[in-house]
Amino acid sequence: MSVRVHRVYDPPGPDDGVRVLVDRLWPRGVAKDAAHVDEWPKGLTPSTELRRWYHADEGSYEAFAERYEAELAAPEAVELLDHVRELAREGDVTLLTASKSPEESHAAVLLRLLDGA
């Protein structure tokens, strides 16, 4: 069992396991049936305000990650994060994002939190 991050634009792989979209907005140009998304926990995504702040280049990735982790302390996010942890205990999980740089996105923060649990 493992957790990994892939871009939602990449084709699904045979070892993806449960595919979890971790973006608040549906990715442009991707048909829902082609994405093979099993779960879409919008409450686990960064707030609109945080997302806009980060994409406007107003702060560093480290500052974004810190603010995002603070948002993930909210009860709904904690519950959803625990759910994804449980999925990972049962098998493979692939976190899907439309981010051009998944290694400097909220998906990387989620991956780090899930790997550390």
Side-chain angles (χ1 to χ4, degrees):
M1 64 189 157
S2 67
V3 180
R4 68 189 66 108
V5 175
H6 284 175
R7 292 196 71 223
V8 70
Y9 300 106
D10 296 335
D15 59 345
D16 281 354
V18 178
R19 294 170 53 89
V20 180
L21 180 63
V22 294
D23 291 347
R24 184 169 299 268
L25 305 174
W26 188 263
R28 291 181 187 192
V30 176
K32 290 192 178 187
D33 59 334
H36 300 280
V37 170
D38 298 306
E39 300 203 14
W40 188 14
K42 293 180 189 176
L44 199 55
T45 64
S47 67
T48 299
E49 296 78 21
L50 180 57
R51 186 174 45 81
R52 287 181 180 159
W53 173 83
Y54 184 51
H55 292 298
D57 290 326
E58 294 182 22
S60 66
Y61 173 71
E62 291 76 21
F64 166 78
E66 186 176 308
R67 290 179 181 199
Y68 181 42
E69 283 188 47
E71 288 186 355
L72 291 172
E76 178 188 8
V78 168
E79 186 176 317
L80 291 169
L81 199 54
D82 286 344
H83 172 69
V84 176
R85 280 189 186 105
E86 185 58 35
L87 291 174
R89 282 190 209 59
E90 295 171 3
D92 295 328
V93 173
T94 300
L95 305 177
L96 301 170
T97 182
S99 175
K100 292 179 184 175
S101 301
E103 63 281 349
E104 286 195 350
S105 73
H106 64 289
V109 175
L110 287 172
L111 180 64
R112 182 171 42 80
L113 291 175
L114 291 166
D115 278 347

